[in-house]
Amino acid sequence: MARVEVTRHLHRFFPQLEDARLSVPGDSVAEVLAAVERQVPGFCDYVLDEQGRLRRHVNLCVNNTLLIDRNGLTDRVSESDTVFVFQALSGG
């Protein structure tokens, strides 16, 4: 199972992720996020937009690599991978 980690900032929205780690099945980012949604209802509403794409203010890495397919979430995930979800920073 892939491990999913989130930043501390997301704990205020999802206190059930307070330990910041969750192991879920999935072969792609989309499958991993769907598995998180089943355990933490509302998680995908924060992370994904109405079309199922990664929101602009959210970044996601598989291990140390930023997500490539922000629209289809087809990036592959193996059982030994860590998916890290964090807020994107912007501004000047």
Side-chain angles (χ1 to χ4, degrees):
M1 288 201 203
R3 186 170 71 185
V4 178
E5 296 185 18
V6 300
T7 58
R8 288 181 75 89
H9 171 74
L10 293 177
H11 296 172
R12 88 174 131 138
F13 299 110
F14 307 103
Q16 58 273 56
L17 294 175
E18 196 159 328
D19 68 357
R21 296 178 186 180
L22 183 65
S23 292
V24 296
D27 293 324
S28 69
V29 169
E31 291 176 8
V32 167
L33 292 179
V36 173
E37 177 69 20
R38 286 190 291 276
Q39 293 185 37
V40 185
F43 182 76
C44 282
D45 291 337
Y46 182 84
V47 174
L48 305 177
D49 67 14
E50 296 76 22
Q51 287 79 39
R53 298 180 300 223
L54 198 63
R55 291 187 184 275
R56 277 191 342 217
H57 70 277
V58 175
N59 276 332
L60 191 146
C61 289
V62 177
N63 296 324
N64 295 323
T65 304
L66 274 173
L67 183 70
I68 295 170
D69 182 8
R70 293 180 63 91
N71 294 327
L73 309 173
T74 59
D75 294 41
R76 304 308 301 163
V77 178
S78 72
E79 288 190 7
S80 62
D81 286 341
T82 299
V83 176
F84 189 67
V85 181
F86 58 100
Q87 274 196 302
L89 297 177
S90 62

